[in-house]
Amino acid sequence: MKNRENKKENAVDLTKKFELDANAMNQIVGGTSFWMDPATGTGVTVSGPDDILCGDLEVVQSCEQSCKTCTSNKTYIYICGTKLKGK
Amino acid sequence: MCEHSHIPFYQNTRKMTPDIEPKKKYQINPAYTLLADRHCAFIFNSKGWPTFRSHPEVDDNFTQLVSPLYASIFAYWDGSKTYHETIQQIVNEMHIQQDVLEKFLHPCIHNMEKTALHFSDKEILEETSSNWIPKNFIIECDGEPRTDLPEPEAFAIPVRQWDFSRMRSRIPTTVTLMLTNRCATNCIYCYADNQHRVEQPLPAEKWLELIQEAHDFGCLSIDLSGGEVFLYPGIETILQTLHQMGYHPYLSTKIPLEEERILQLKECGMTELQFSIDCWDAALMQQMLNVPSSYFERLKRSLDALEKHGIAVKVKSVITSYNDKPEQVEQLILNLSAHKNITSISIAPAENSLYKSEQDFIGYRTSRRQWEKIEALVESMAATYREQCEIGCQGLLDSREHCAAVDEKARVYPKRTRCPGNINMLYVLPDGKVTICEELYWNPRFIIGDVRKQSLMEIWESKKALELYNLSQETFRKTSACHICPQFDPCHQQSGVCWKMVIEAYGDEYWDLPDPRCPYAPPATQKYYIE
């Protein structure tokens, strides 16, 4: 049976369970196109193909796009989801 | 990309929803629940959500994969705290900034339509598998807090384990129990395998055991089917048990029930029933259903008794070449709509059966021409009777879809209805064999277990079930387009193919050809559709 009141007394830190830092949590919930370094669970700033893919809903192991501006070595996890119309 | 049709969407508006009151309590709509899975999360309709009637204020039959992070946020909304307190709790425990959190949540609160969660001002062109929130998802709580939602921690899956490419849930969320394949009628258009002789039908005790197991592992929906469910000797006990456990099985019958039987069933919890009535003519009924001449009178008495005792009735009418004249359909609707307890009349064309010959189907199927006349009639009558009864036509398995040009198939096929078989649903046959599709019955290729030897969960996790889900492309014949298709995995593991249609189109031996609706499918060798 669920009892959220207990949770209030025993502070929970869900970021640790997700293995994400607060910045990454905010990026995912905020919907910023987000690349994550799988070694650290933290977000990294890259110039990704967000004219094609945007959002935070799908985990792919590598991006299929070959954007000239992309600085990723494509070993990051890109959290994306929705195919969008071009710019 | 501009040739894609646009999907209606309701994106994050990035503004405060005006009717949120911080001191009021909000909760996930009791119509929905959350399920934590191994690598993702799901939104489903809640346990026992009645599928008998449509609910305009919510999405029925809703299944959606969502990010575990989102599900974790949603799980806080059980209605035990005010909006403000819940937001603060999420901020504290998930370290999400309040403005970011509220911007994310507001499109999910009192949302009038199914909502696509995405975060751009650009238009969505393709629906992905994981970004839809059902309508009225989070609503004001006007009763007790929910105690059936999982804890937010249940969704806290390490991000590296997230996998949204596989739709198969860790439990079968829907289980259909086919109590018997015996029938009281012998309909000319029957699609079922009612010729299969069940040597050892499962006893009622075994069905009750399965219901208990399904309840214990968290199954959300248990349905009963036949054959004719009311021919099964233990139906009353089974029905009573299901209702006591909070399940509302969809019951369908063709038996004219006597008043005494109706009262017995009502005591077991039955409040609604689907009745199959194809015409309002005794002689035609005899011809179509192979029933005695007294059937029609008994049916009318049964409808009267159901009305007298307040049992809601949904009528399903099957249209064949025997009853496809608009005046026949009109007469049926006029007579049915005189009953106050009939809540809906659904008209559908007879479909092909895997257990009859192609010539049989050609003999009883209606024509597209007649069907279009019926559709026009039904549309006009639906408008007349909309205050008292929902009247409509179900889709036609039409040669236009199945023999369409490649471009048209390429446009339509990705939007097909997802098949839940072996993804979140399984079917137990009358002898205990378990299949992934109720219309494939005892076809051995799709039998994944036997409840006489295994539990439902053992079957769900069995090698056979998993192999059927994780089909190997290599095993598909080289002449099948599936053998080299780059979409093989998403096609089979997300939307799924309709094995019944494949077998209808090409025969059982060619089960590994593409779904006939796929743009790469060869022309069907058998006519299984209306022309």
Side-chain angles (χ1 to χ4, degrees):
Chain A
M1 186 66 73
K2 182 170 173 163
N3 186 351
R4 297 296 312 156
E5 289 306 312
N6 292 342
K7 293 291 175 298
K8 199 173 177 183
E9 290 161 17
N10 308 314
V12 178
D13 184 354
L14 286 185
T15 58
K16 285 181 182 161
K17 296 193 174 184
F18 280 112
E19 296 181 10
L20 286 164
D21 64 12
N23 180 47
M25 298 279 275
N26 278 281
Q27 286 199 61
I28 292 173
V29 177
T32 310
S33 294
F34 175 66
W35 290 80
M36 187 193 75
D37 181 343
T40 63
T42 56
V44 290
T45 303
V46 297
S47 177
D50 60 1
D51 57 328
I52 305 295
L53 299 160
C54 183
D56 62 334
L57 299 156
E58 212 166 304
V59 179
V60 291
Q61 294 304 317
S62 65
C63 181
E64 291 175 2
Q65 310 302 321
S66 299
C67 302
K68 288 179 183 171
T69 53
C70 184
T71 56
S72 165
N73 61 9
K74 296 190 178 182
T75 58
Y76 298 122
I77 295 174
Y78 184 55
I79 301 177
C80 62
T82 310
K83 287 192 178 180
L84 298 167
K85 201 174 182 178
K87 281 178 182 170
Chain B
M1 293 178 81
C2 56
E3 72 277 13
H4 289 272
S5 65
H6 293 180
I7 296 166
F9 69 97
Y10 304 87
Q11 64 185 27
N12 278 0
T13 54
R14 299 180 189 280
K15 63 179 181 186
M16 282 291 290
T17 308
D19 60 352
I20 293 174
E21 295 189 31
K23 290 183 179 172
K24 285 193 171 172
K25 293 177 177 178
Y26 291 83
Q27 66 178 184
I28 303 267
N29 193 320
Y32 309 116
T33 194
L34 301 165
L35 181 76
D37 218 280
R38 293 187 184 95
H39 307 288
C40 60
F42 290 96
I43 301 172
F44 287 108
N45 286 114
S46 287
K47 180 192 163 196
W49 181 248
T51 53
F52 185 80
R53 292 176 205 181
S54 59
H55 304 80
E57 71 285 6
V58 298
D59 287 309
D60 291 313
N61 299 315
F62 191 83
T63 301
Q64 182 63 65
L65 188 151
V66 288
S67 158
L69 184 45
Y70 295 171
S72 196
I73 293 171
F74 294 145
Y76 282 90
W77 298 90
D78 60 3
S80 63
K81 294 188 176 71
T82 65
Y83 172 86
H84 177 73
E85 288 167 344
T86 310
I87 290 286
Q88 290 310 312
Q89 189 175 7
I90 301 173
V91 166
N92 291 338
E93 294 184 1
M94 298 188 76
H95 301 185
I96 297 168
Q97 293 165 17
Q98 185 168 340
D99 61 332
V100 172
L101 179 62
E102 290 190 293
K103 205 179 286 179
F104 166 78
L105 278 167
H106 287 165
C108 309
I109 301 176
H110 286 303
N111 50 316
M112 301 291 283
E113 299 292 342
K114 195 166 88 163
T115 302
L117 281 178
H118 77 107
F119 305 91
S120 167
D121 295 330
K122 296 172 185 173
E123 274 179 300
I124 293 183
L125 287 181
E126 291 179 27
E127 186 174 349
T128 61
S129 60
S130 55
N131 57 355
W132 290 93
I133 298 301
K135 67 169 111 166
N136 284 315
F137 183 51
I138 297 175
I139 57 171
E140 203 176 307
C141 173
D142 55 5
E144 291 296 308
R146 292 187 64 169
T147 55
D148 60 328
L149 293 174
E151 296 282 356
E153 293 90 315
F155 302 96
I157 302 163
V159 69
R160 276 161 283 193
Q161 294 174 22
W162 291 7
D163 180 358
F164 303 168
S165 65
R166 298 159 58 80
M167 292 292 289
R168 194 173 194 269
S169 50
R170 66 179 163 79
I171 57 166
T173 57
T174 298
V175 173
T176 297
L177 309 177
M178 192 180 291
L179 300 181
T180 177
N181 67 336
R182 287 174 57 221
C183 261
T185 58
N186 183 17
C187 308
I188 53 162
Y189 56 81
C190 181
Y191 70 83
D193 183 3
N194 52 16
Q195 300 305 312
H196 183 99
R197 190 176 168 80
V198 178
E199 299 291 346
Q200 287 186 303
L202 289 184
E205 298 73 39
K206 185 65 189 177
W207 291 117
L208 294 173
E209 195 183 297
L210 295 175
I211 290 167
Q212 185 66 53
E213 188 205 341
H215 173 265
D216 291 348
F217 66 63
C219 183
L220 299 172
S221 175
I222 302 179
D223 274 321
L224 301 177
S225 79
E228 175 55 71
V229 288
F230 294 122
L231 287 181
Y232 187 77
I235 179 67
E236 283 83 2
T237 314
I238 289 170
L239 206 50
Q240 197 163 28
T241 305
L242 284 170
H243 280 285
Q244 283 167 355
M245 288 182 174
Y247 294 107
H248 303 286
Y250 194 103
L251 297 168
S252 175
T253 188
K254 267 189 174 157
I255 285 192
L257 298 164
E258 298 298 334
E259 188 169 359
E260 195 181 339
R261 187 88 197 275
I262 290 169
L263 285 170
Q264 277 177 354
L265 292 166
K266 193 176 175 181
E267 275 188 26
C268 297
M270 184 182 82
T271 56
E272 48 210 11
L273 186 65
Q274 178 183 291
F275 226 116
S276 299
I277 308 171
D278 306 324
C279 57
W280 201 260
D281 178 310
L284 192 54
M285 237 173 222
Q286 263 187 280
Q287 198 179 2
M288 284 181 66
L289 312 186
N290 288 299
V291 287
S293 57
S294 61
Y295 181 89
F296 185 45
E297 287 306 315
R298 289 194 292 125
L299 171 76
K300 286 195 283 189
R301 280 205 303 274
S302 185
L303 283 179
D304 291 340
L306 287 163
E307 184 174 3
K308 181 180 166 187
H309 297 291
I311 304 292
V313 173
K314 190 172 182 173
V315 173
K316 169 94 181 276
S317 305
V318 176
I319 301 299
T320 65
S321 55
Y322 293 73
N323 63 335
D324 62 0
K325 294 181 185 61
E327 53 271 28
Q328 292 171 314
V329 177
E330 184 178 21
Q331 189 188 27
L332 175 67
I333 294 174
L334 284 173
N335 281 286
L336 290 174
S337 56
H339 291 270
K340 290 187 180 65
N341 61 325
I342 293 185
T343 58
S344 85
I345 303 169
S346 175
I347 314 280
E351 292 185 4
N352 180 46
S353 166
L354 288 172
Y355 310 96
K356 289 184 166 59
S357 71
E358 186 180 31
Q359 282 313 307
D360 285 337
F361 178 58
I362 290 170
Y364 68 72
R365 69 179 177 180
T366 185
S367 65
R368 187 189 299 157
R369 190 160 164 265
Q370 284 304 106
W371 180 251
E372 284 171 355
K373 286 182 194 172
I374 290 171
E375 278 185 320
L377 170 80
V378 169
E379 194 180 338
S380 70
M381 294 189 85
T384 307
Y385 292 98
R386 70 167 173 264
E387 294 298 320
Q388 64 183 91
C389 180
E390 194 180 319
I391 303 173
C393 283
Q394 286 185 355
L396 183 71
L397 195 57
D398 194 329
S399 58
R400 283 179 294 198
E401 181 185 357
H402 293 256
C403 306
V406 169
D407 286 353
E408 177 63 6
K409 282 186 166 186
R411 190 181 68 78
V412 174
Y413 187 57
K415 297 175 185 173
R416 67 193 180 277
T417 306
R418 191 173 64 82
C419 173
N422 203 26
I423 289 183
N424 62 287
M425 190 182 268
L426 53 73
Y427 303 86
V428 187
L429 295 164
D431 60 358
K433 296 276 196 310
V434 176
T435 177
I436 67 164
C437 172
E438 63 169 339
E439 292 199 40
L440 292 172
Y441 295 90
W442 284 271
N443 185 322
R445 203 184 312 280
F446 302 98
I447 296 286
I448 55 174
D450 186 341
V451 296
R452 289 180 189 274
K453 300 170 189 161
Q454 302 153 284
S455 68
L456 288 170
M457 276 310 293
E458 282 170 351
I459 292 169
W460 187 248
E461 291 171 345
S462 67
K463 190 178 168 202
K464 180 74 189 285
L466 295 174
E467 277 177 358
L468 210 46
Y469 180 71
N470 300 305
L471 282 167
S472 162
Q473 194 167 13
E474 286 299 307
T475 61
F476 278 54
R477 75 189 67 206
K478 287 183 179 167
T479 50
S480 169
C482 299
H483 185 76
I484 52 165
C485 182
Q487 292 298 312
F488 184 88
D489 284 342
C491 182
H492 288 85
Q493 294 180 351
Q494 291 176 14
S495 293
V497 303
C498 178
W499 300 112
K500 184 205 167 209
M501 279 189 202
V502 176
I503 293 169
E504 280 179 325
Y506 311 111
D508 186 55
E509 189 190 342
Y510 295 95
W511 70 279
D512 56 351
L513 292 187
D515 186 312
R517 298 167 296 173
C518 166
Y520 303 113
T525 56
Q526 298 175 58
K527 286 188 175 172
Y528 62 98
Y529 40 71
I530 307 292
E531 291 177 303

